[in-house]
Amino acid sequence: LHNLSEVFAVSIIHSLWQGLLIWVVLRVALIVVPSLSAVKKYNMAVIAILSIFICFIYTLLTEIQAYNWINLKSPGVLPLLPYLNLSVNPQHIIQNQSFYNAMSGYLPYISAIYLAGLLVNVAKLGWEWNKIKQIKQSLIPAEQMQQFINSFSKNLNITKHIQLKFSELIDVPCMTGYFKPLILLPVSMATYLSACEIESILLHELSHIKRNDYIVNLLQQIITVLLFINPFAQLINRTINQERENGCDDLVVEKTGKPLIYANALLKLEETRGLH
């Protein structure tokens, strides 16, 4: 465990400068080419966060292979790690020995802090999924509006069957599910939005389904939970969320040609968000 904690902590430390480098490249690209569409910015941000995750995994595997594994157990206890047949790279050990010696006293604590934080974030994610399950168990049919979803889905070339339901447990429209997409609307939304405004909101949620945002969001959640300790991964995560919504907004405006109606619908949703 001591050996593993050192290897894992070093990988975490390396992920910080790797994340910084990737984040800087992303920011420079977005600044140099400000005319990029929201979809392209979104794709670049997704590639960036995947790159940070891949670099972290690659570094972890490299450190595992190169680390000078030492059995700290007493002679009477059967060692675990020697049976793993982990290879040793002498050159890599010499190059990194000074780093390990300087940081060895702190590495186990870094791993312990990371593990504690990871458990907290996994618990939060589990709580969110449980909340979604509770919402799905208290849905109200939206039979009259289902026809709008079927019509809009056809216009957007979406072949999946999409259900539309109301819920008293949410205050903003949202969608969930990939194989069986489900759009959820607040029960009170029909009381303060016009028919045209509701149509624009439905188009926004359908845009998420058309773009397969649910799958990307799921991968995004897993990566940000595993790399919660990396601030640059969190910054890129915010960019992904922002450009995802911007991309859907652009599609709504393109399909409806009525940006003012859609903007007014978003304003009403934001104003009533904390009142229900």
Side-chain angles (χ1 to χ4, degrees), residues 18-214:
Q18 293 167 352
L20 172 61
L21 179 61
I22 294 172
W23 178 77
V24 168
V25 171
L26 175 64
R27 293 305 303 170
V28 169
L30 296 180
I31 293 174
V32 171
V33 193
S35 59
L36 288 174
S37 65
V39 173
K40 291 182 178 179
K41 293 179 181 178
Y42 171 78
N43 292 335
M44 291 173 62
V46 170
I47 292 174
I49 200 168
L50 286 175
S51 299
I52 293 179
F53 181 68
I54 292 173
C55 286
F56 173 73
I57 297 299
Y58 175 79
T59 302
L60 179 61
L61 295 177
T62 302
E63 292 294 329
I64 288 176
Q65 292 296 322
Y67 187 77
N68 186 19
W69 296 95
I70 301 173
N71 179 31
L72 299 179
K73 294 291 185 179
S74 61
V77 179
L78 291 177
L80 170 64
L81 294 176
Y83 291 115
L84 299 179
N85 295 323
L86 294 168
S87 62
V88 177
N89 186 343
Q91 184 178 0
H92 184 89
I93 294 173
I94 295 174
Q95 293 174 351
N96 292 278
Q97 194 65 42
S98 60
F99 178 79
Y100 276 106
N101 290 338
M103 296 291 296
S104 60
Y106 303 97
L107 296 180
Y109 296 102
I110 294 175
S111 294
I113 293 173
Y114 173 83
L115 181 59
L118 180 63
L119 293 176
V120 171
N121 280 273
V122 169
K124 289 181 179 180
L125 187 61
W127 183 83
E128 292 291 341
W129 284 355
N130 184 62
K131 186 177 180 181
I132 293 176
K133 184 182 297 185
Q134 292 178 356
I135 292 174
K136 288 183 177 181
Q137 293 174 351
S138 59
L139 298 178
I140 302 174
E143 298 176 356
Q144 295 181 350
M145 298 181 65
Q146 184 66 47
Q147 58 181 345
F148 290 106
I149 290 294
N150 298 335
S151 176
F152 293 157
S153 299
K154 186 177 181 180
N155 292 335
L156 293 175
N157 296 320
I158 300 176
T159 57
K160 298 177 182 177
H161 175 67
I162 304 170
Q163 289 186 316
L164 177 66
K165 302 289 184 180
F166 285 107
S167 175
E168 297 179 347
L169 301 180
I170 61 174
D171 54 6
V172 292
C174 58
M175 64 81 53
T176 183
Y178 176 74
F179 297 105
K180 296 180 179 180
L182 173 65
I183 295 179
L184 302 174
L185 300 178
V187 172
S188 59
M189 195 178 76
T191 62
Y192 57 85
L193 291 184
S194 65
C196 291
E197 292 170 344
I198 292 177
E199 289 180 4
S200 64
I201 295 300
L202 292 178
L203 275 174
H204 178 94
E205 299 305 323
L206 285 171
S207 299
H208 285 300
I209 298 174
K210 181 177 177 61
R211 290 156 40 99
N212 294 317
D213 284 342
Y214 182 79

Side-chain angles (χ1 to χ4, degrees), residues 206-266:
L206 285 171
S207 299
H208 285 300
I209 298 174
K210 181 177 177 61
R211 290 156 40 99
N212 294 317
D213 284 342
Y214 182 79
I215 289 294
V216 177
N217 183 63
L218 182 61
L219 293 174
Q220 180 186 347
Q221 293 295 328
I222 294 174
I223 292 175
T224 52
V225 165
L226 293 175
L227 298 179
F228 75 94
I229 203 170
N230 191 320
F232 306 105
Q234 306 305 320
L235 289 173
I236 295 176
N237 181 49
R238 295 178 186 177
T239 301
I240 294 174
N241 292 337
Q242 179 180 351
E243 297 304 333
R244 175 190 292 126
E245 298 303 320
N246 291 340
C248 291
D249 292 343
D250 291 344
L251 184 59
V252 172
V253 173
E254 176 186 346
K255 292 296 182 180
T256 62
K258 300 176 181 179
L260 292 180
I261 291 179
Y262 180 54
N264 192 44
L266 294 178

